[in-house]
Amino acid sequence: MQEITRNALVEKASALLADGTVGRVLAWKRGEFDYDVTPAVFQTAEELARDLVWNDFCGANFSKYLIKETEKSDEKVLVFLKPCDTYSFNQLLTEHRFNREKVYVIGVPCAGMLDVEKVKKSAEGIASITEDSDKIVIETLFDGALTLDRASLLAERCINCKSKKHTAYDELLGEDGEVLDSARFDEVAAIEAMTPDERFAFWQNELSRCIRCNACRNVCPACTCEKCVFDNPASGLENKAASDSFEEKMFHIIRAFHVVGRCTDCGECSRVCPQQIPLHLLNRKFIKDIDNFYGEYQAGAEVGSRAPIVDYTTEDLEPNEAVERGDDNA
Amino acid sequence: MRKISLANLDALFAAIAAEETLYLPQDTEKGAVYAEWCEGATLSNALNTVRSPKDFFFPQTENLMDFKVEGKSIEIIDTRKECEDFVIFGVRACDVRSFEVLDRVFLSEPVDTYYKNRRDHGVIISMACTRPAETCFCQTFGIDAAAPEGDIVCHKTEDTLYLDAKTEKGETLLARLSALTEECDTSAVEAQQALIRERMAKLPLANLSASDFGADKTMEFFNRPEWKELSQSCLGCGTCTFVCPTCQCYDIKDFDTGHGIKRFRCWDSCMYSEFTRMAHGNNRLTQVERFRQRFMHKLVYYPTNNDGLFSCVGCGRCLAKCPINMNIVKVMKTLGGKDNG
Ligand code: SF4
Ligand code: SF4
Ligand code: SF4
Ligand code: SF4
């Protein structure tokens, strides 16, 4: 259960609209079902009162929407950010993707978001979902009510949350948290421990399910190219036809390389993948290697930092050393 | 009508697979998928497969033909393989209807012979839905989950599978399986149908109406201001179009192999910026127009060209998979006027 109530968000946003601080509000909007939440732009207090939701299904990260939203008018945009979202926010500012002056950030503490796929795996025919401290009560269409442990339904990125601390905000609702000691690299280590054949089989099994819908790329706050090479007919890489089984891997490998040092590990790619491919593992491998080779670095922890990969220092690892240490890890 | 005890289901599958390739929905860690039956495979109880069965007739990519270039001559190489007979088991009513939607596109003149070849060789065994999901709204489009279409229609109860042949193809297959099945009356199936219809009436989307949409309504909906708000957070990904059993748009791509050309057909998505790009550029410049295209096609353009038939079948896949939870139901409720409040 989230600590801050929905009403606190509605009141805050309505007050800032009323006094003219902001002209629009980016927040989560209620849908047909309790787990169905849409990112939306709100313009009036009535809309906020009617449709804003703040619950365990507000996973969507608004940072990337700010690129488009801040261009729309001169008014400021109010945005609610969870701790992990603020890292993407800072990274986008580092890359000069929008004007900070046009945004009013309210940080919202987060108790972790639920994974809709896990919820659906536990209950068929969902009539309603209610939160009751550390329990989730699911009313089903045919099997009565189920009471489940909230912890068992948490999204992977929330189980392995790296930080409850907001790295950017104008105002904070509730108390700020701390950077956490997460176990987020354990699964990467497990893959590193595989033999090359096992590792290939692991990724083959995962990536062969990819339908190239591009949801992972389009949601990614680090993927903000005006025209992705994969959409550009002039690039020679534009390709909707996976003519052989390597195509999907190439897409994911190129994408992973392109977000190296910029991926904040917000987890949006894995959240949106309709095929439940654990894409975050690719990016985490890079983060782990950077930490290991160049010292710990967290993209988006602050505005303006230079990722080790684009920042030369005389202490940098020599390439051969990286290869040897890479081998030790492999 | 014939029946077989569920205890003998494996024998039934083995008998089908002895002569035709049999595909069954099977469970994986990441949801149900259609996979070829082999000894030991079990039928999934999931309502729907993640990918729709349109893959069987309209695969995501397909090598249409090759061209071999030698000097000034070009040789055309037909790469198509004659399809072998196959059986798809357990197709839901919504997905069976999707084949009719695809047929009207690919089998009207000029007939798409690639599609037709697969369609001619496929036998569809459908399955009634005893446990519809909250995202199901097939009934909005007049589809009866209790009485699917298909070559053979199945009803599965606690202990028995009932099979009823509806077409010649179905009768031929069922006749071949007659040693394993026995004749029975329709009472058990009728009881199940009553239960299904009772359940369908209680679904959260049971009252969703399509009556405001349909043929010749283009001007009524095309310029509606709501498209802007509906599409405002759309990511322009292809998830909704690629999981949809009825989305049928494709692109044709030529790859230069150095000594010739490989020509592929692949799914396209109206949500993509390169969709229907022409020499003069693109006629849908922003996501508002791309988004509108998808829903206008399902609810207005397709019915206009196809005797009023909608090209959404209410399977709910896009409801389940859209990363931002925007979907056809929300579009219908926003634009659909009187009946949808
Ligand atoms: S979201 Fe998943 S299925 Fe879609 S392109 Fe990315 S990895 Fe592939
Ligand atoms: S409606 Fe949803 S699934 Fe479809 S393109 Fe937009 S974001 Fe992607
Ligand atoms: S539009 Fe959505 S509900 Fe309709 S057939 Fe396609 S995926 Fe199913
Ligand atoms: S939409 Fe209808 S036919 Fe399709 S799975 Fe749901 S209940 Fe069955």
Side-chain angles (χ1 to χ4, degrees), chain A residues 32 35-39 65 68 117 121 124 126 142-143 211-213 218 227 231 238 240 274 276, chain B residues 29-30 60-61 131-132 134 232-233 235-236 238 242 251 253 268 272 274 321 324-325 330 333:
Chain A
E32 291 297 318
Y35 58 78
D36 150 11
V37 173
T38 301
Y65 282 113
K68 203 171 63 180
E117 298 288 355
K121 234 182 182 177
E124 276 176 28
I126 298 173
F142 314 119
D143 309 319
I211 55 172
R212 267 311 286 283
C213 65
N218 292 14
K227 190 87 180 162
D231 289 346
E238 183 243 8
K240 292 171 201 150
Q276 300 183 63
Chain B
E29 263 296 289
K30 311 275 169 101
Q60 183 159 16
T61 59
R131 290 167 64 81
E134 73 280 8
Q232 67 187 351
S233 50
L235 299 172
F242 288 178
D251 196 2
K253 291 266 170 192
D268 205 342
Y272 288 169
E274 301 305 304
K321 293 296 185 183
I324 58 140
N325 289 318
K330 290 180 179 174
K333 288 199 170 181

Side-chain angles (χ1 to χ4, degrees), chain A residues 166-180:
Chain A
H166 291 81
T167 59
Y169 57 85
D170 293 302
E171 203 175 322
L172 202 59
L173 293 176
E175 293 283 306
D176 207 6
E178 300 287 327
V179 173
L180 304 176

Side-chain angles (χ1 to χ4, degrees), chain B residues 41-303:
Chain B
T42 42
L43 176 66
S44 163
N45 281 324
L47 186 68
N48 264 324
T49 48
V50 181
R51 290 179 72 135
S52 86
K54 87 173 165 191
D55 295 32
F56 288 110
F57 304 115
F58 176 40
Q60 183 159 16
T61 59
E62 160 178 30
N63 185 194
L64 293 178
M65 62 187 77
D66 292 347
F67 303 89
K68 206 164 135 200
V69 186
E70 255 170 316
K72 285 196 172 162
S73 77
I74 298 181
E75 189 192 337
I76 301 175
I77 302 161
D78 191 350
T79 51
R80 102 177 62 204
K81 293 179 214 83
E82 188 57 28
C83 183
E84 311 232 308
D85 289 345
F86 64 100
V87 175
I88 330 174
F89 186 90
V91 185
R92 299 298 181 183
C94 50
D95 288 345
V96 181
R97 172 68 63 83
S98 79
F99 303 146
E100 184 189 341
V101 174
L102 298 176
D103 283 355
R104 282 171 176 259
V105 175
F106 293 109
L107 298 183
S108 57
E109 285 301 328
V111 170
D112 186 312
T113 53
Y114 294 85
Y115 176 89
K116 183 170 186 298
N117 177 18
R118 290 184 286 258
R119 199 70 175 87
D120 286 346
H121 285 92
V123 180
I124 292 152
I125 306 186
S126 61
M127 178 78 81
C129 310
T130 47
R131 290 167 64 81
E134 73 280 8
T135 46
C136 293
F137 57 108
C138 51
Q139 48 197 338
T140 296
F141 302 107
I143 298 165
D144 186 355
E149 296 150 9
D151 296 311
I152 296 176
V153 177
C154 289
H155 289 259
K156 191 157 81 81
T157 61
E158 294 268 283
D159 51 11
T160 309
L161 182 76
Y162 296 87
L163 306 107
D164 196 11
K166 296 286 184 189
T167 65
E168 226 182 281
K169 264 188 196 171
E171 269 163 23
T172 313
L173 176 56
L174 211 47
R176 213 185 84 213
L177 303 169
S178 62
L180 287 165
T181 58
E182 52 183 293
E183 194 63 30
C184 64
D185 67 23
T186 54
S187 55
V189 165
E190 279 161 23
Q192 187 188 70
Q193 287 179 319
L195 170 83
I196 293 175
R197 290 184 183 128
E198 195 182 301
R199 289 187 160 180
M200 293 303 295
K202 288 195 203 135
L203 292 184
L205 300 177
N207 297 321
L208 182 72
S209 164
S211 65
D212 284 324
F213 303 93
D216 304 320
K217 302 271 180 100
T218 303
M219 291 331 286
E220 239 171 87
F221 291 103
F222 193 79
N223 287 317
R224 288 282 290 269
E226 293 94 331
W227 289 117
K228 206 168 159 200
E229 193 183 322
L230 285 164
S231 63
Q232 67 187 351
S233 50
C234 173
L235 299 172
C237 66
T239 306
C240 51
T241 47
F242 288 178
V243 298
C244 178
T246 70
C247 271
Q248 71 243 191
C249 291
Y250 61 80
D251 196 2
I252 291 183
K253 291 266 170 192
D254 284 351
F255 293 97
D256 187 346
T257 58
H259 40 79
I261 283 165
K262 270 188 142 2
R263 174 164 295 174
F264 282 85
R265 154 158 67 194
C266 52
W267 292 353
D268 205 342
S269 169
C270 50
M271 294 294 191
Y272 288 169
S273 59
E274 301 305 304
F275 183 70
T276 63
R277 183 170 170 271
M278 289 169 263
H280 76 281
N282 208 317
N283 51 358
R284 296 183 197 88
L285 293 177
T286 72
Q287 202 56 32
V288 181
E289 293 92 44
R290 295 174 203 135
F291 181 93
R292 175 178 63 194
Q293 167 64 25
R294 177 159 197 272
F295 301 101
M296 286 294 281
H297 188 199
K298 302 271 180 234
L299 299 169
V300 180
Y301 307 151
Y302 188 97

Side-chain angles (χ1 to χ4, degrees), chain A residues 209-217 251-252 269 272-275 277 279:
Chain A
R209 290 199 313 278
C210 174
I211 55 172
R212 267 311 286 283
C213 65
N214 294 311
C216 50
R217 179 196 68 183
F251 168 68
H252 290 291
C269 47
V272 302
C273 178
Q275 293 284 40
I277 299 171
L279 296 159

